[in-house]
Amino acid sequence: MRFSRQLGRTLKDAPSDADCASHRFLVRAGMIQQVAAGVYSYMPMGWKALKKIENIIREEMDKAGGQELNMPSLQPIELWEKSGRLASFDKTLFSVTDRKEHKLVLGPTHEEIITDLVRRSVQSYRDLPQLPYQIQNKFRDEPRPRGGLLRVREFIMKDLYSFDADEAGLDESYRKMVQAYKNIFARCGLPAVMVEADSGAIGGKDSHEFMLVTESGEDEIIYCLHCGYAANAEKATSAKNPGPKEGLLPVEEVSTPGLQSIDEVATFLGVKHAQTLKSVFYTADGQLVFIVIRGDLEVNETKLKNLLKCIDLHMASEAETQAAGLVAGFASAINLKGYKIVADDSIKLGTNFVAGANKPDTHLKNVNYPRDFKVDTLADIAVAREGDQCPKCNGKLLSQQGIEVGHVFKLGTFLSERLGAYYLDKDGASKPITMGCYGIGLGRLLAAAVEQNHDDKGIIWPLPIAPFQVCMCPLKIEDPAIMQAAEKLYTELMSAGIEVLLDDRPESPGVKFNDADLIGIPLRIVISARTLQNSSAEVKWRREKQPIIMPLKGLVDAVRKLVKSGGSG
Ligand SMILES: [Zn+2]
C-alpha cells in the first residue's frame, strides 16, 4: 500500500474527549473515525488490523467445531417478550417501529434468534451438539459511550452459541471454547488472563472472562499467585478473617452521642472494625432492604443484586431511609421488624459485636448472631480486596486492572425452556437443550491491544495483528536513486508475501518517523542517500531504539526471516 494513496491521514492532535491511549492513537493514526457518540468507521488501516483479528478468531472457531452463519440485526420483539429478557436489557435495547407499526429490536446479542433457529432445526439427540457462530454488528444504547472503541453503541462481535443434550455435553463445549479463546489471544500476541466472572441474576452455572491486563483497564482482577485463583472483582471472594471467639456476654447499651460512623464508634469504644456490625440500606426494585455486614467489610453490589434477583438496586437515599423509619447511624437488625434483612456471612465470624441500638446516640455491646437477631438471607455479599486472604489457599490476594475482551458463559436450559427449544432423547423423551454462549468484541480487542501495546509516541502493534508488517520510509523521494531502490524493494517484499506500507509522501524525515511511530508498524525500513552509499538499508523494530544496518542484497530474505521469527515486535 502506498501511503500517499491512503484514505485518511494522520493527525497531530487527539480528540478533546479522548481519555485513553487507544482512543487517542487510533484516531490520530487515521485508523478509526467517529461518526456519532459511540459510533465509529474503521478506516482502511484500522480495518486491516481488525480483519487480522477476525481471521484468527474464525480459524479457531472452525477448528473447535464451530459453524459460521449469519443472523439479522433486526429482531422481532416477540422473541424478546418470550425470553423474558426485555426488562434486563431495558434502555440499552435499540428498537425501531416499521411502517406497519410493528416493533423490532436492533440485536444487542443473538440468543433469542439462534435459539429459535435451533428450535426449528434440531429434533433429536443425534442433531446435537451444535456450535453455530457469527461475526456481526451488535447494537447497545450505552448510557455513556466513551474510550473510543472500548465502549460503543454499534460494535462487531463474534458470538458462538453451544447447544448440547445435557450438562456433560455443555461442559465439553465450554472446555473447547476456553481452549479456542486461549489460542486466539496467544495467536494475536495479546497475553490474556482467564478469570471467574459474575454470571448475572438469571443465572447460568459457570462464567469466565478473558482480560487483557493493562493499567488503564476499567475492570479489577483479584488474583492469587500461590494457587492461580483469579476472578473479576464483581465475583471475587476472600477467606474472611475469623475474628475472636469469646464466651457470649449479655447485651449492654452504651451512650455514643453523635457517633455515627463505624470509624467513630470503634475508636470511641476501643474495638477493631471487625468487632462491629454495620447496617447499610438499599432500595431493590423500590423496596427497602436492610443489610448487615461486619464493620471491616464493604457490600459488593453485584453479589447483592444477584442474590435479590432485582433489576434496579441503589443505596437508599436519606428520604427513603427516613420514610422507612430507620435511625441512620444507629440502626441495627436487633428487634427490627417489617424489613427484609440480608446479612453477609461475616456476621457469624466473631462474637460480642458492637451494633446500633435503633435509637439516637446509642449503641449496643455484645451483640451475637443468631442469639440477638434474625436475618432473612445469609450469604457472601462482601467485596474481596487486595491483601485479603485467598479463598482457595493461604496466599494473599493481589489486584490489577484489566479490560474484558471475551466472555464464556454456561446458560443452562432457561432460554431453551422459555423459547421452546426441545429435543427427543434416546428414549424418545422431550428435553430442553442445554446452552452456552461465548463472545468476543473485536473492536474492543483491537482497542485493548493498543492499551496494552503503546508508548508515548504511538501504537506498537503485535506482529500478528499489525495492519502491515513493514513500513518502508524512503527519505527524499525526489532523489530518483532512492525511489528506484525503494520501489524495487517494495515490489520484491510484496512478491515474497510481506505486507508493506510504502511511505511515498513528499514529507520530511521527521514527519515520516513520527508517523511511523504513531502508526506502529512492527518493522521500519529506511532507505536514504546515506544507506545507499553502502548499498544497505536501516531496519528497526518499533519496540527497539537502535536500528540494524542490513545490506540490500539478501534483504528480502532477511526481512522474511525477521517477520517469521516475530522478533521482539
Ligand atoms: Zn490462592
Side-chain angles (χ1 to χ4, degrees):
M1 177 77 207
R2 288 167 194 278
F3 209 150
S4 63
R5 299 304 312 141
Q6 171 155 271
L7 183 62
R9 55 177 62 199
T10 54
L11 304 172
K12 244 193 145 106
D13 297 311
S16 56
D17 62 334
D19 55 1
C20 59
S22 62
H23 189 184
R24 282 198 304 273
F25 291 140
L26 286 169
V27 171
R28 280 192 54 213
M31 299 206 186
I32 59 170
Q33 204 175 81
Q34 186 171 17
V35 178
V39 183
Y40 283 85
S41 295
Y42 286 88
M43 301 300 280
M45 225 187 311
W47 190 240
K48 260 179 170 298
L50 193 93
K51 282 283 167 187
K52 293 216 169 158
I53 292 175
E54 182 182 323
N55 287 340
I56 291 172
I57 292 176
R58 180 175 287 113
E59 282 174 21
E60 291 298 329
M61 288 299 108
D62 290 347
K63 213 166 81 186
Q67 292 182 62
E68 189 170 5
L69 48 63
N70 191 267
M71 292 176 279
S73 292
L74 281 175
Q75 307 184 356
I77 199 159
E78 289 79 7
L79 282 174
W80 283 83
E81 283 163 352
K82 239 173 140 178
S83 76
R85 299 206 303 166
L86 270 179
S88 55
F89 275 83
D90 193 32
K91 289 202 172 91
T92 55
L93 215 55
F94 273 111
S95 63
V96 293
T97 308
D98 70 13
R99 62 176 74 210
K100 291 179 178 157
E101 296 297 311
H102 184 197
K103 223 172 165 194
L104 296 141
V105 163
L106 282 182
T109 177
H110 277 73
E111 279 88 358
E112 276 72 8
I113 302 283
I114 193 75
T115 309
D116 192 57
L117 185 152
V118 165
R119 175 181 73 83
R120 296 157 192 260
S121 322
V122 164
Q123 269 140 23
S124 101
Y125 68 94
R126 286 189 205 92
D127 303 327
L128 297 171
Q130 290 291 339
L131 300 169
Y133 78 95
Q134 60 175 353
I135 298 172
Q136 179 247 29
N137 286 29
K138 309 273 187 237
F139 302 85
R140 285 185 200 174
D141 197 0
E142 291 285 345
R144 282 171 299 277
R146 54 174 195 82
L149 295 179
L150 285 173
R151 194 162 296 280
V152 287
R153 298 196 294 166
E154 177 175 355
F155 54 98
I156 307 166
M157 191 164 143
K158 184 285 300 176
D159 45 329
L160 182 143
Y161 305 88
S162 66
F163 294 87
D164 282 282
D166 51 25
E167 288 280 330
L170 171 60
D171 289 346
E172 179 59 14
S173 294
Y174 197 79
R175 193 195 56 74
K176 276 187 193 161
M177 277 305 121
V178 164
Q179 188 54 53
Y181 274 39
K182 288 180 176 169
N183 298 348
I184 287 167
F185 300 120
R187 283 185 59 191
C188 287
L190 300 170
V193 289
M194 178 168 141
V195 306
E196 290 179 16
D198 167 46
S199 43
I202 33 172
K205 211 169 61 163
D206 288 331
S207 167
H208 288 90
E209 283 168 352
F210 289 81
M211 300 264 197
L212 293 200
V213 173
T214 149
E215 276 169 27
S216 60
E218 59 181 13
D219 290 303
E220 188 187 1
I221 307 164
I222 299 286
Y223 66 102
C224 168
L225 282 179
H226 274 269
C227 68
Y229 172 76
N232 184 324
E234 287 181 342
K235 157 95 181 179
T237 57
S238 61
K240 291 163 192 163
N241 140 21
K245 267 219 154 69
E246 301 161 348
L248 307 192
L249 300 172
V251 175
E252 195 184 309
E253 232 180 70
V254 284
S255 172
T256 49
L259 307 177
Q260 297 202 354
S261 73
I262 289 290
D263 244 353
E264 291 167 336
V265 176
T267 310
F268 180 71
L269 296 175
V271 297
K272 290 187 171 150
H273 286 48
Q275 192 100 44
T276 66
L277 295 179
K278 182 159 62 178
S279 304
V280 195
F281 320 127
Y282 277 92
T283 304
D285 291 342
Q287 217 197 343
L288 194 116
V289 185
F290 192 102
I291 312 293
V292 192
I293 186 167
R294 217 170 61 182
D296 58 325
L297 302 170
E298 300 294 330
V299 176
N300 177 323
E301 293 186 359
T302 305
K303 289 183 187 174
L304 181 60
K305 199 172 169 184
N306 290 344
L307 186 71
L308 296 170
K309 297 197 189 316
C310 62
I311 289 166
D312 176 63
L313 179 79
H314 62 263
M315 284 267 248
S317 65
E318 227 177 281
E320 285 170 323
T321 311
Q322 267 175 11
L326 292 165
V327 194
F330 301 94
S332 77
I334 296 130
N335 297 325
L336 195 74
K337 292 206 174 66
Y339 303 95
K340 183 179 174 67
I341 303 176
V342 176
D344 182 63
D345 52 14
S346 56
I347 65 164
K348 290 192 299 182
L349 303 170
T351 45
N352 301 326
F353 289 106
V354 172
N358 288 321
K359 56 182 179 182
D361 301 331
T362 317
H363 277 83
L364 299 174
K365 276 164 78 173
N366 308 328
V367 170
N368 289 284
Y369 174 82
R371 185 190 70 180
D372 304 322
F373 64 100
K374 304 274 173 291
V375 304
D376 296 299
T377 314
L378 189 69
D380 168 41
I381 50 165
V383 171
R385 284 171 297 207
E386 181 163 38
D388 287 355
Q389 218 172 64
C390 171
K392 303 224 162 137
C393 75
N394 288 326
K396 276 244 179 301
L397 290 177
L398 299 171
S399 152
Q400 57 189 4
Q401 298 304 116
I403 299 174
E404 187 219 320
V405 289
H407 198 170
V408 293
F409 200 120
K410 287 185 182 174
L411 286 165
T413 57
F414 77 92
L415 271 178
S416 40
E417 280 165 21
R418 288 177 191 178
L419 292 162
Y422 287 78
Y423 73 99
L424 295 176
D425 74 3
K426 277 185 186 138
D427 306 317
S430 176
K431 292 198 169 147
I433 302 176
T434 305
M435 291 175 59
C437 64
Y438 315 84
I440 295 181
L442 275 70
R444 200 177 162 77
L445 183 54
L446 185 86
V450 176
E451 293 295 334
Q452 207 181 43
N453 299 278
H454 69 270
D455 59 16
D456 55 353
K457 291 177 184 154
I459 305 168
I460 306 176
W461 289 109
L463 197 55
I465 60 168
F468 295 94
Q469 295 158 335
V470 168
C471 172
M472 198 155 72
C473 301
L475 305 183
K476 241 182 155 192
I477 61 162
E478 60 276 21
D479 181 335
I482 292 176
M483 258 340 256
Q484 265 168 26
E487 291 282 357
K488 182 165 175 280
L489 186 59
Y490 177 56
T491 312
E492 286 172 359
L493 284 169
M494 301 253 281
S495 312
I498 293 164
E499 299 157 315
V500 188
L501 177 68
L502 174 64
D503 191 349
D504 57 344
R505 300 173 304 166
E507 297 285 0
S508 71
V511 169
K512 289 192 178 188
F513 291 158
N514 282 343
D515 279 351
D517 282 344
L518 174 62
I519 291 166
I521 307 301
L523 269 178
R524 190 188 76 189
I525 301 180
V526 172
I527 293 177
S528 65
R530 207 176 45 164
T531 69
L532 282 188
Q533 267 181 3
N534 305 316
S535 307
S536 65
E538 206 183 271
V539 181
K540 185 179 102 59
W541 287 107
R542 170 68 177 84
R543 232 178 251 286
E544 305 278 320
K545 280 208 166 63
Q546 290 306 320
I548 323 161
I549 309 296
M550 289 182 152
L552 281 175
K553 197 171 172 226
L555 187 60
V556 173
D557 258 356
V559 169
R560 196 165 47 189
K561 275 185 196 135
L562 283 176
V563 165
K564 213 173 164 191
S565 77
S568 56

